[in-house]
Amino acid sequence: MDLARAHRFIGAAALLTFLATGFYLRAGLPEPEGGGLVIHFAARANHIYILLAALLNGALGLYLSPRPRGRTQRAGSVLVLLAPVVLTAAFIAEHATASLWRPLTMAGIFCVALGMALHALSGRPGARGQAPRPV
């Protein structure tokens, strides 16, 4: 499976996960009372992070093209592909605690940030002082 197709597949699966977590938040998570505000807003934040990862994967799936620094691009893709999995695990495991220490959430956001940074560094022909490819 090529990277663009993998990004489209994971993006679609993460979008379905976003819809499922939204349904859970609407139907299964009780309204916040007193100390439950932290749990409520942490669950909502993780829900939105899943959407972020889904949209980034979808966009990469539509626009991804091979870059001069292919290894850097592939490493970035692996991290962005991993992000929805980590963020979904964070939604499941971390939303029931009132702690603000959320290592899975932090790891998922790190995957998104570093993955996109590596995609940016992979460059395109003619960018950042690279000579354009002859036509």
Side-chain angles (χ1 to χ4, degrees), residues 46 49 52-53 78-91 94 100-116:
N46 280 49
Y49 295 150
L52 166 74
V78 167
L79 287 171
V80 175
L81 287 166
L82 186 62
V85 176
V86 175
L87 291 167
T88 300
F91 180 88
E94 294 177 344
L100 293 178
W101 173 243
R102 306 176 90 62
L104 282 174
T105 300
M106 187 168 46
I109 295 301
F110 180 78
C111 285
V112 167
L114 183 59
M116 292 308 293

Side-chain angles (χ1 to χ4, degrees), residues 4 17 23 34 65 85 100:
T17 303
F23 179 75
S65 61
V85 176
L100 293 178

Side-chain angles (χ1 to χ4, degrees), residues 8-33:
R8 287 191 302 270
F9 176 78
I10 294 295
L15 192 57
L16 291 175
T17 303
F18 168 75
L19 294 173
T21 57
F23 179 75
Y24 169 75
L25 289 175
R26 176 73 63 180
L29 191 67
E31 286 300 314
E33 298 174 11

Side-chain angles (χ1 to χ4, degrees), residues 28-68:
L29 191 67
E31 286 300 314
E33 298 174 11
L37 271 175
V38 172
I39 293 171
H40 186 78
F41 286 115
R44 291 217 180 270
N46 280 49
H47 170 65
I48 296 300
Y49 295 150
I50 293 169
L51 176 63
L52 166 74
L55 295 175
L56 283 175
N57 272 289
L60 284 173
L62 292 174
Y63 294 104
L64 191 68
S65 61
R67 300 289 187 195

